[in-house]
Amino acid sequence: MAGGNAIRGSRIGAGPMGEAERGEAAARGFVSYWCANGHEMTPSFSVDEGVEIPAEWVCKRCGLPAGRDKDNPPAAPTAEVYKTHLAYVKERRSDSEGEALLEERLGELRDRGLIR
């Protein structure tokens, strides 16, 4: 097997794949976005009428949201702390309400003879 510089799958004399084979490219415009860490992204968007350019973009380097205003980038989202099921229950009921519900249920079980 020869180890040349030939591009695999091409043949000698083949021209570059151009727009004639792929169609015309749409006109593009670049928009700059900056994140809180100062990273700049410049994605391109079609300049056709009706194309909505997003107000925020995700930074490819750090994952923070990026905005179009360099001096006031969007703030990083705050991560919600994981809560257990018990924590959610305690938000809905006070300790006294929980004791009352427990006594009520235990009373029902005692009446049926399931517990003493």
Side-chain angles (χ1 to χ4, degrees), residues 74-99:
T78 57
E80 236 181 84
V81 178
Y82 173 77
K83 291 183 187 177
T84 63
H85 177 70
L86 181 60
Y88 283 110
V89 170
K90 286 184 175 183
E91 283 181 359
R92 293 192 311 261
R93 304 210 194 298
S94 68
D95 288 341
S96 60
E97 290 174 324
E99 289 292 328

Side-chain angles (χ1 to χ4, degrees), residues 5-116:
N5 292 341
I7 298 173
R8 192 176 177 129
S10 66
R11 64 185 167 129
I12 297 175
M17 295 185 81
E19 292 190 7
E21 295 175 10
R22 290 184 285 167
E24 293 294 320
R28 312 289 288 171
F30 292 92
V31 178
S32 291
Y33 292 89
W34 290 271
C35 71
N37 289 334
H39 302 139
E40 180 182 9
M41 285 73 49
T42 53
S44 66
F45 298 96
S46 174
V47 293
D48 290 340
E49 209 173 299
V51 173
E52 189 174 327
I53 296 175
E56 287 190 1
W57 198 256
V58 177
C59 179
K60 290 183 179 183
R61 294 174 83 189
C62 63
L64 292 176
R68 294 170 70 181
D69 184 4
K70 183 178 184 176
D71 298 327
N72 297 311
T78 57
E80 236 181 84
V81 178
Y82 173 77
K83 291 183 187 177
T84 63
H85 177 70
L86 181 60
Y88 283 110
V89 170
K90 286 184 175 183
E91 283 181 359
R92 293 192 311 261
R93 304 210 194 298
S94 68
D95 288 341
S96 60
E97 290 174 324
E99 289 292 328
L101 288 171
L102 179 62
E103 270 311 308
E104 179 183 329
R105 183 66 179 141
L106 288 174
E108 291 173 9
L109 293 174
R110 284 186 191 111
D111 292 344
R112 296 160 105 195
L114 298 173
I115 63 168
R116 295 181 193 187

